Amino acid sequence: MFLQVSEFDYEVSDSGIVRSLPRVVMRSNGKPHTVVQKELRPRWRGRHLSVGLRRDKIEHCRYIHHLVLEAFVCPRPEGMYGLHLDDDPTNNDLSNLRWGTASENMHDRVRNGIHHQASKTHCVRGHLLADPNLCPWWKIRTCWTCNKAKQVARYHGRGDDEVYIQQLADERYAVIM
């Protein structure tokens, strides 16, 4: 099913296909030209697929998932983003899209297992990132033993000595685990 894209002579389907509407436009020489209906080819813009929609000889680049949501759900609410439920930017099917906040988008990424912090199992020094070796006061997964070892090394004036930090961290890790 296709619905017209607001403010443009294009229509979008609930599966993310965008096509132009047949219309007559005036060429620069003043003669009319009939534009036939055709499907637009999506292109990558950052992490998402987009299309260029022309109006008054100016191209407006729009994300396909935003066009689908605006046509079938509602105009974009202030401060909201178009979210892919499966985190696949090529899946622009209406059943896979919803409006949401940036925070909800991050929660989706964690739930789907693609958030880079949520998928970390070990720190850079090889310690397991699991309780009781997680810093409880940090919002990201951080190794508690390495954090403490760096603090002690800075206190003793050896904050740049990686060997010393590794030794301290390994000793603390052995104690708590």
Side-chain angles (χ1 to χ4, degrees):
M1 175 168 74
F2 282 86
L3 291 178
Q4 185 166 351
V5 176
S6 63
E7 303 174 14
F8 292 97
D9 290 328
Y10 296 87
E11 56 187 9
V12 63
S13 74
D14 55 355
S15 61
I17 297 170
V18 183
R19 64 185 184 194
S20 62
L21 293 173
R23 61 194 183 278
V24 176
V25 296
M26 296 302 283
R27 290 189 172 173
S28 58
N29 62 6
K31 294 183 179 178
H33 171 70
T34 303
V35 177
V36 296
Q37 183 176 38
K38 70 174 186 174
E39 191 174 306
L40 275 63
R41 185 182 320 158
R43 58 186 178 219
W44 287 101
R45 185 173 145 211
R47 248 182 51 86
H48 298 283
L49 293 173
S50 67
V51 289
L53 306 180
R54 295 189 68 78
R55 181 181 63 217
D56 301 327
K57 299 180 184 178
I58 299 172
E59 184 174 275
H60 302 269
C61 193
R62 302 284 304 273
Y63 289 124
I64 294 174
H65 62 289
H66 286 186
L67 293 175
V68 172
L69 285 168
E70 288 171 355
F72 290 92
V73 179
C74 67
R76 181 178 177 179
E78 185 70 32
M80 295 294 214
Y81 297 86
L83 306 184
H84 293 84
L85 299 178
D86 64 357
D87 289 314
D88 178 9
T90 62
N91 184 359
N92 290 310
D93 195 81
L94 179 61
S95 63
N96 185 49
L97 301 174
R98 70 180 176 92
W99 293 118
T101 64
S103 176
E104 290 172 323
N105 196 24
M106 285 300 119
H107 286 283
D108 284 350
R109 293 175 63 85
V110 171
R111 185 189 72 240
N112 293 332
I114 64 168
H115 190 275
H116 69 284
Q117 289 288 350
S119 59
K120 278 180 21 180
T121 59
H122 291 79
C123 75
V124 294
R125 292 184 177 84
H127 305 128
L128 181 65
L129 290 175
D131 283 330
N133 190 34
L134 288 174
C135 288
W137 56 88
W138 285 41
K139 292 185 179 184
I140 59 172
R141 296 167 55 86
T142 304
C143 180
W144 184 79
T145 55
C146 291
N147 187 286
K148 285 296 180 187
K150 287 187 274 186
Q151 288 177 4
V152 170
R154 280 194 303 269
Y155 179 78
H156 291 292
R158 297 177 68 178
D160 295 333
D161 188 352
E162 284 297 321
V163 174
Y164 180 64
I165 294 172
Q166 181 74 47
Q167 178 186 359
L168 288 174
D170 288 344
E171 289 170 5
R172 288 178 179 277
Y173 184 76
V175 170
I176 68 165
M177 296 304 265

